[in-house]
Amino acid sequence: MIKLWTVGGIFVLLAMPSLADDSTKGEPFYQRFLIPGNPLDDQIRDQEKRVQANPNSAALRNDFGNLLALRRFPKEAREQYEIAMKLDKKNFLAPYNLGIVYETEGKFSQALSAYEHSVNINRGFPPSLFRMGRLLEKRGHTSGAIDAYAKALRIDPSMRDPRRNPLVIDTELLDQVSLSNYGKDMAAASLSWDAQYAEEARFRKVPTDRAVWSDEVGDTGIRPVPMAPSASAAPVVAPHAPLAATPKSVAPTPPAPPRPQPPIPPPAAAPPAPTPSIKSAPPLPTPPQ
């Protein structure tokens, strides 16, 4: 009997870990590491509730992936980005952020593919272009890197500034990029409306050294602005509120007559120039006879 109780106790002890595993089987992996009161962990829990309330929102999935990436859960972050990409085929932020996560993991081929996917969706998003050029440069594809850098800097010239884009100090191709853009920069300077974008200012605020949140960009791409009308075209009149009608009983005030101006005196005649007096020379002395 004692042996039976002993054997039964051993089976119970062996079964306890499996029971504990069953209780957390449906719980995400990251949940067990979240600390109550930690600001980032609290944000993750709040965002998880938002996603559960609206699971088909690509924007919520993207931001949820950003939080998980900040908490060093790259696998779970990638899952959220991939779900966002499936929910919204035009979402270019999710593949961009996915590329950053791949870079942090040292998976540069996957990161390059993610950036290319983001650029294929929105060819006017400078951070994707710049990061794609950076990886192409590191892999020795100089021509492709220069092309990607050039497109990024044409859209957002401020990316040359390290304060705006810290990644720019990592490239050795900036001089060649400047030469590549020279002709187009001159054309843009002569046609101030050419190669400008309706939402260019919005993209200039986007950071280049971290993941991008949905509310920092939105879900629309850059649209080219039509060129400015020429001087021969009819001027465009901005809409305005209708002018108030003038009462018929009130006559318009005529313009005041011009004030008479005093006559301008003629200029005084210049005094005659003095005639120099010519004195006769004394007679020459007569030589002695």
Side-chain angles (χ1 to χ4, degrees):
M1 182 64 68
I2 296 176
K3 291 182 179 181
L4 291 176
W5 280 105
T6 304
V7 174
I10 292 174
F11 277 115
V12 171
L13 292 175
L14 292 175
M16 287 179 65
S18 62
L19 294 175
D21 293 340
D22 291 339
S23 63
T24 59
K25 187 175 181 179
E27 184 180 89
F29 171 76
Y30 59 84
Q31 279 284 0
R32 68 191 71 176
F33 300 101
L34 300 182
I35 303 173
N38 182 283
L40 179 57
D41 293 352
D42 291 343
Q43 290 182 27
I44 291 176
R45 289 192 180 90
D46 292 341
Q47 189 69 16
E48 184 181 36
K49 294 177 182 178
R50 295 189 184 97
V51 171
Q52 291 174 351
N54 189 4
N56 294 325
S57 172
L60 291 178
R61 295 280 186 176
N62 175 79
D63 294 352
F64 193 24
N66 289 351
L67 292 171
L68 293 172
L70 287 174
R71 193 59 170 82
R72 301 296 188 270
F73 293 114
K75 179 177 179 294
E76 289 72 18
R78 286 190 276 107
E79 290 175 355
Q80 294 300 321
Y81 295 141
E82 291 168 355
I83 295 175
M85 293 163 61
K86 292 178 181 178
L87 292 173
D88 184 3
K89 303 296 183 181
K90 296 182 179 180
N91 190 310
F92 57 91
L93 284 185
Y96 170 72
N97 294 329
L98 178 63
I100 294 179
V101 172
Y102 275 133
E103 271 199 82
T104 60
E105 295 179 295
K107 300 176 180 179
F108 300 115
S109 297
Q110 292 93 324
L112 182 58
S113 299
Y115 294 140
E116 289 175 344
H117 184 67
S118 176
V119 170
N120 289 335
I121 298 173
N122 188 344
R123 298 184 180 275
F125 188 51
S128 289
L129 288 165
F130 197 92
R131 282 187 172 269
M132 184 175 72
R134 181 169 172 268
L135 289 184
L136 288 172
E137 179 182 0
K138 290 183 177 297
R139 296 168 70 90
H141 302 297
T142 303
S143 177
I146 292 175
D147 183 61
Y149 283 143
K151 290 178 181 178
L153 295 182
R154 281 201 300 271
I155 298 172
D156 186 359
S158 69
M159 294 189 77
R160 297 174 180 271
D161 189 350
R163 294 170 297 181
R164 161 77 175 89
N165 176 24
L167 299 177
V168 75
I169 63 175
D170 198 27
T171 178
E172 298 178 356
L173 302 176
L174 195 58
D175 53 344
Q176 300 182 51
V177 173
S178 299
L179 290 175
S180 174
N181 276 344
Y182 178 75
K184 295 179 181 179
D185 288 344
M186 293 298 294
S190 59
L191 298 174
S192 60
W193 282 69
D194 189 22
Q196 291 188 3
Y197 296 81
E199 297 172 328
E200 181 179 353
R202 181 181 63 145
F203 283 98
R204 288 190 178 185
K205 300 177 182 179
V206 175
T208 60
D209 55 349
R210 62 168 174 81
V212 179
W213 305 87
S214 299
D215 59 356
E216 290 181 306
V217 171
D219 56 356
T220 57
I222 303 178
R223 295 183 295 275
V225 174
M227 293 182 61
S230 59
S232 60
V236 179
V237 180
H240 55 79
L243 297 177
T246 304
K248 295 182 179 180
S249 58
V250 180
T253 304
R259 295 182 180 181
Q261 301 293 331
I264 302 175
T275 303
S277 60
I278 302 175
K279 296 181 180 181
S280 59
L284 298 175
T286 303
Q289 297 296 334

